[in-house]
Structures are given as structure tokens and as C-alpha cells.
Amino acid sequence: MMRQTQLSIVARWVEAGGAPAAPARRRWPRRVPCLVAALFCVSCAAVGSPWRGAAERQVQAQAKVQRRAVEQVHAAFASNDPFLRANAIEAATFVPDLAAVLVAAGLRDEAPVVRFTALVVLGKLELKDQAPGARVLLADGNESVRAAAIFALDQCGGEVDLSPLAGLLASADPGTRANVAMLLGMAG
């Protein structure tokens, strides 16, 4: 191919009376830029370019950050502060396997805020295997926890009566009213 191009340039030069001829404009096939980019990457990897391994380093850095984040979530869930435990469950929603473990433990927590958060995450992630734990909490002593149990069961497709949520909207506790309004908004 290269030899033919050189010959055509020489032929045009001769036809023009020895004057140098401008080479004809070439149209590259669409795949050529991709091939050039691939060759550049391969050559960079072969010669020890600074770009060599950049993608690998990025993946390793992301994995390291994710491991640190999971460690932080575990540490927060082990805290004596119920709000930190609740925040840990909520943060775990980005790692569903971890969220399932923390939700299961959160459903048995003594603090209502942790049980409430565990139920909300259970409903948001539709963790159907955790639904029996939510059904038990329909009889919880805390109104917000009962409302979250109704939400979780509804989101998981379970048979549940939603009418108690209307009564909870008229609760004397403003926190309960706010939680029920939030749950109704999340339920759509």
C-alpha cells in the first residue's frame, strides 16, 4: 500500500514536468483512528510510558477507597450512638450485600431510630428476604417504626393494610407526622 502511494506521488511529479506534486488527500477508513489509538496504548505499555497502568492504578485506587468506606460503615454500625448506627445502615444502601446484613441486625436493634432506618432501607432496596422481620415490627411500640414497617412490607410486595398510615398522619408527635409524610412520598 505504501509503495503504491509513493509511486503515485512520483508519477504526478513526472507528469507535472518535474515539479513536486502535492499528494492527493487521503480519506482514512473509520477504523483507522481506533487502530492508531490502540497501537499508541500498546506502545505506551511496552516502553514504560507514564500512561502505562493508569487504568489499573485508577481501579486499585477506587477499590481502596471502597474498602475504606465499608470499614467506616462497619465502625459506625458498631458505635454506641444509635444515630451513627442508623446512618451506617443508610450509607450501606450503595453496597446492597452490606445493606442486607446491616438491615437484618438493625431490625433487632433496641433504638427506634435504627429500626426505623433499617425498615426504610429494607423497603427502598426491596429486600424481600428480610420482610418477615418487618412484619414483626408492625406491632412495635414506636409509631414511626410501625409506619416504616408498613412501608417496607408494601414496597416488598407483601399484603399489608395501609390505612394505619392515615391515622399516623394525625399523630400528636410532629416527628411521627414528618416520618409518615416522608414514607408516603417515597411510596409514591
Side-chain angles (χ1 to χ4, degrees):
M1 180 79 162
M2 185 65 160
R3 181 131 173 93
Q4 288 177 344
T5 305
Q6 289 172 342
L7 290 175
S8 65
I9 292 172
V10 170
R12 279 188 296 225
W13 184 70
V14 170
E15 288 173 6
R25 184 168 190 167
R26 293 186 57 152
R27 295 188 56 99
W28 294 95
R30 288 185 182 163
R31 67 178 177 267
V32 170
C34 296
L35 292 173
V36 170
L39 288 173
F40 175 76
C41 292
V42 168
S43 65
C44 288
V47 297
S49 168
W51 290 294
R52 180 179 185 205
E56 293 171 12
R57 287 191 301 274
Q58 180 69 25
V59 169
Q60 290 170 352
Q62 287 175 342
K64 183 178 179 181
V65 168
Q66 186 176 11
R67 279 193 304 274
R68 284 274 302 147
V70 168
E71 290 169 7
Q72 290 292 319
V73 169
H74 278 294
F77 191 73
S79 170
N80 290 330
D81 183 359
F83 291 100
L84 278 178
R85 292 194 306 272
N87 287 338
I89 293 171
E90 196 169 7
T93 59
F94 298 103
V95 185
D97 294 337
L98 176 60
V101 171
L102 296 184
V103 163
L107 293 175
R108 298 184 304 272
D109 199 282
E110 74 272 357
V113 67
V114 177
R115 293 193 306 274
F116 174 81
T117 304
L119 288 164
V120 170
V121 170
L122 188 155
K124 281 171 63 175
L125 296 180
E126 298 180 9
L127 301 171
K128 294 179 175 136
D129 58 327
Q130 303 284 341
R135 189 159 298 281
V136 171
L137 293 175
L138 287 171
D140 194 88
N142 185 286
E143 291 178 330
S144 290
V145 172
R146 287 197 307 269
I150 292 169
F151 166 78
L153 289 169
D154 179 57
Q155 295 300 297
C156 289
E159 292 292 323
V160 64
D161 181 20
L162 299 175
S163 60
L165 292 178
L168 291 173
L169 274 174
S171 171
D173 180 32
T176 298
R177 289 194 308 266
N179 285 337
V180 171
M182 178 193 73
L183 292 170
L184 288 171
M186 289 172 60

